[in-house]
Amino acid sequence: MSVEPMPDAFALVENLQLTASRPGERTGGLLEDTASGRFFRLGPAEFAFVRALIATSSAPAAFAACETLPEEQRLSPGAAGSLCKWLASNNLIQGASAPASTGPTKSLLSAAFFWKLPLGNPDQALKTLVRYFGWLFSGYAFVACGLVFLLAVAAMTGNWGEFLSCYENLFSAQRAPAVLIAWCLLKAIHELAHAGVCRRYGGEVREAGVAFILLVPLAYVNVTSSWRFGSQWKRLHVTLAGIAAEAAVAAAALAVWSVSGSLTIQQIAADVFLTATVSTFLFNMNPLLRFDGYFAVADLTNVDNLYSLGQRYARYFGGRYLLGLNVSLPTLPGTRTAWIKLYGLAAAIYRTLTVVGLILGAAAMFEGAGIVIAAGGLFSFAVHPLVKLLQHLRTSYNSGQLSVTRLALRLGCIAGFSIGMISLIPVGVSRTVPAVVQYDPPCVLRATSAGFVDQILAHDGEWVVAGQTVVVLRNDALVQKRDRSRTELAQTEKELLKARWLGESSEAKQLQSSVEAIKKQLVELDQDVEQLAIVATRDGRVVARRLPQLLGSYLEAGTEIGVVGLEDQKRLKVSLSQRDVTQLQAADRPVKVRVIDDKQIWDATVERIEARASTQPADPALLALNGGRLASRVMDSQEPELSEARVNAIVSIAPAHSSNLLSGQRAFVALGVPPKSILQALTTHLREFLAW
């Protein structure tokens, strides 16, 4: 890479204070700007260079003064120039002696992925908070948070299957606002815990605000003043306080889920638990990212600037072993060089994967704007470093340190190996779609006549035979109407008989027509009254979980109250998108079936696919408002319908599996396709994305 210059006149600002991490040892330390309250951690070589720079006010003189120090306390000329540029970029020099910036392009493009919005100085408010609620930020509270979380997790034993089913509709549109609100509140609590513990131990918190990663808000506080705490326990307490606070909130969410009978409250509690645990483990506790986990590991291993040291080794490793450049091994301090090397390589790989994920996430989340953000990110994190690498390769070539033939062979081997691996390694690509278990064929218990539920003669789970009455409805108006019709029929028949005796043929003819009409009406009324008894039309088991709540309620004609069927005769009714239909038709093979709360997976056959898409759900249980996955909407106060039309399909289930399933149970169907290579799968997804 190009070497940054070292300016001759380079006086640092006043009010800078250097504090060694472990006085008397060759370690790094802390650089504090007492005027602005900012703190910076320095490694051993950086610490020695800045100390010499404060004494000499000249970068070349400071570099020369460090030449007599041990190797781990000396910087290379390029590293010294980069450090001078870093000091200038943080406004730590006097006057205008800063090295020229390489331009704002990379920073502007990076801002699409990350930028900060300071909101003020919370230090005085924190003083008041700690004065009255300091016990919340004590070491005892920290330990209690961890214990409460472990107890809450242990108490959930046996209920995790039901709890995890709450995430079936996690990515539905109706649930997104709750997840975002939970995220924002949790991160605010997280940062408040950092700030409160830091303030309780006497540190200053001079800045708080909001940072945005891909427009996703993250609260932040500046607790770098905790770095000057002499006690490692206090520093670790500040670092891990946010994680402990989120663990306590997660435990409370599990408790709310356990005692609540409301589906909405349970889903909110599940959202809070998810954001308080998964996001914490993936980000805050991950030492490969510069969040809480990183600072805790760096403090525990006593390796200052672990991230920058690891980056140096990763650059050396890439240049030496991947590109074959003649580069020297960077000096690594202390006795933990193996740990620094391992960390550097792991962080480089993880950082690459993270950047790729963010770029793809931006393109997918923000559609057209996302493409622009992704292009900016690609330039900022890939093209820009590649250009700098090419410039460095050109410099190395001009100086005779680079063999073009050897470089081409290495790059060719790496590219060939990578393409060969992604072309040969098979990957099973599948999509899961929601389904519901039904009896096959489903015998629906339906109110044919309207009325009030008067008697329940068979309950959920009971075995019934064909013709057995399950529910009796009461409709006094219907019965009275039938009785009036019977009375009217008897009276009309008397009048008909009289007319015949008197020989009044014309009147008898009219009365005969009236009798026939009344009889026809009476047949219909008798049938309606008879149908007030809801009977099973086949042998089987009753599935009607809401039946006890229906006693005394009014049912309209056509209202479904349950189903009757045989336990070994069931099917799956699957809800498919148009894309799913295309994939299923192209697969032409058995599908994989996975049932919620059941670890078994088996092959099943698609019997038929309906020809027309509809906004009517395959079953209300699949809607997000009922705990399912599918987004829905309510139009003109009618029954909820799907947000977009979907196609229903029927999947048969073998008797052996049917007996283990419950009618009405939600399930997943994995639409397996023939195995493809990674390259084929990526090409297919890219083609579908561009077509979309």
Side-chain angles (χ1 to χ4, degrees), residues 584 587-593 602-606 651 669-674:
L584 190 59
D588 190 25
R589 67 199 302 258
V591 297
K592 299 289 185 181
V593 175
W602 64 84
D603 289 345
T605 304
V606 178
V651 174
V669 172
L671 305 181
V673 299

Side-chain angles (χ1 to χ4, degrees), residues 557-606:
T559 303
E560 297 182 7
I561 63 171
V563 293
V564 175
L566 299 177
E567 294 303 315
D568 60 348
Q569 296 180 12
K570 295 190 183 79
R571 68 184 187 183
L572 287 173
K573 194 170 186 180
V574 186
S575 182
L576 306 171
S577 67
Q578 295 292 345
R579 178 184 176 186
D580 297 329
V581 173
T582 302
Q583 185 173 358
L584 190 59
Q585 291 172 341
D588 190 25
R589 67 199 302 258
V591 297
K592 299 289 185 181
V593 175
R594 178 167 60 89
V595 180
I596 301 174
D597 297 338
D598 194 323
K599 297 180 180 179
Q600 293 184 353
I601 299 176
W602 64 84
D603 289 345
T605 304
V606 178

Side-chain angles (χ1 to χ4, degrees), residues 63 74 80 155 167 192 208 235 312 351 379 398 449-450 477 560 587 669:
F63 183 80
R74 296 199 305 264
Y167 298 117
L192 178 62
R235 295 194 302 269
R312 289 184 197 172
R351 184 169 62 250
F379 180 86
N398 293 335
S449 298
E560 297 182 7
V669 172

Side-chain angles (χ1 to χ4, degrees), residues 243-288:
I243 295 175
E246 290 200 55
V249 174
L254 288 180
V256 170
W257 183 90
S258 299
V259 301
S260 175
S262 168
L263 176 63
T264 301
I265 294 178
Q266 285 186 330
Q267 286 193 340
I268 293 174
D271 293 339
V272 172
F273 179 82
L274 179 71
T275 53
T277 54
V278 174
S279 64
T280 296
F281 287 117
L282 290 180
F283 295 99
N284 296 102
M285 291 187 66
N286 188 348
L288 301 179

Side-chain angles (χ1 to χ4, degrees), residues 358-628:
L358 289 176
I359 292 175
L360 295 178
M365 290 169 59
F366 305 114
E367 300 182 6
I371 299 298
V372 177
I373 296 176
L378 188 64
F379 180 86
S380 177
F381 295 104
V383 177
H384 188 271
L386 182 61
V387 171
K388 295 185 68 175
L389 175 61
L390 292 176
Q391 292 174 347
H392 177 66
L393 292 177
R394 181 179 179 181
T395 302
S396 301
Y397 175 75
N398 293 335
S399 62
Q401 298 178 353
L402 174 65
S403 170
V404 177
T405 302
R406 184 171 59 179
L407 176 62
L409 287 174
R410 285 177 175 266
L411 293 179
C413 292
I414 294 173
F417 177 78
S418 301
I419 294 175
M421 292 295 290
I422 65 175
S423 299
L424 297 176
I425 296 178
V427 57
V429 181
S430 65
R431 287 168 54 84
T432 57
V433 293
V436 65
V437 180
Q438 296 181 338
Y439 284 121
D440 187 20
C443 172
V444 180
L445 294 172
R446 181 183 288 110
T448 308
S449 298
F452 293 90
V453 177
D454 188 48
Q455 300 179 57
I456 299 176
L457 304 179
H459 297 276
D460 179 53
E462 290 187 11
W463 181 269
V464 295
V465 297
Q468 180 177 339
T469 302
V470 178
V471 172
V472 177
L473 305 181
R474 188 188 76 254
N475 189 329
D476 295 337
L478 179 62
V479 174
Q480 291 173 4
K481 184 177 180 180
R482 183 199 61 180
D483 293 342
R484 286 195 301 269
S485 295
R486 286 178 175 178
T487 303
E488 183 182 0
L489 176 61
Q491 183 65 33
T492 305
E493 286 179 338
K494 289 181 180 180
E495 293 177 357
L496 174 60
L497 183 60
K498 179 180 178 181
R500 287 175 177 174
W501 273 102
L502 295 176
E504 298 175 355
S505 59
S506 60
E507 184 176 355
K509 186 176 181 179
Q510 292 178 356
L511 290 172
Q512 181 65 39
S513 298
S514 297
V515 168
E516 292 176 357
I518 294 172
K519 284 183 176 180
K520 183 178 180 180
Q521 182 184 26
L522 188 57
V523 170
E524 294 176 354
L525 290 172
D526 284 336
Q527 185 178 4
D528 289 342
V529 172
E530 183 181 350
Q531 289 175 345
L532 289 173
I534 303 176
V535 300
T537 59
R538 63 170 296 177
D539 297 350
R541 195 171 303 280
V542 176
V543 177
R545 298 179 180 88
R546 296 190 306 112
L547 199 54
Q549 289 78 30
L550 295 179
L551 186 63
S553 60
Y554 183 79
L555 301 182
E556 294 284 355
T559 303
E560 297 182 7
I561 63 171
V563 293
V564 175
L566 299 177
E567 294 303 315
D568 60 348
Q569 296 180 12
K570 295 190 183 79
R571 68 184 187 183
L572 287 173
K573 194 170 186 180
V574 186
S575 182
L576 306 171
S577 67
Q578 295 292 345
R579 178 184 176 186
D580 297 329
V581 173
T582 302
Q583 185 173 358
L584 190 59
Q585 291 172 341
D588 190 25
R589 67 199 302 258
V591 297
K592 299 289 185 181
V593 175
R594 178 167 60 89
V595 180
I596 301 174
D597 297 338
D598 194 323
K599 297 180 180 179
Q600 293 184 353
I601 299 176
W602 64 84
D603 289 345
T605 304
V606 178
E607 287 187 353
R608 60 184 174 88
I609 301 176
E610 295 181 359
R612 182 175 299 178
S614 172
T615 57
Q616 295 300 315
D619 190 280
L622 299 182
L623 298 179
L625 56 87
N626 295 323

Side-chain angles (χ1 to χ4, degrees), residues 26-97:
R26 298 170 183 174
T27 60
L30 192 66
L31 173 63
E32 179 181 356
D33 182 0
T34 57
S36 62
R38 294 182 298 163
F39 296 81
F40 308 93
R41 270 183 174 159
L42 302 177
E46 291 82 359
F47 187 86
F49 183 82
V50 171
R51 182 169 54 190
L53 194 58
I54 292 175
T56 61
S57 297
S58 170
F63 183 80
C66 293
E67 286 295 299
T68 59
L69 298 176
E71 184 179 7
E72 64 269 17
Q73 291 183 284
R74 296 199 305 264
L75 290 175
S76 66
S82 298
L83 180 59
C84 290
K85 180 183 175 182
W86 176 83
L87 291 168
S89 66
N90 283 280
N91 300 318
L92 297 177
I93 63 168
Q94 299 180 16
S97 53

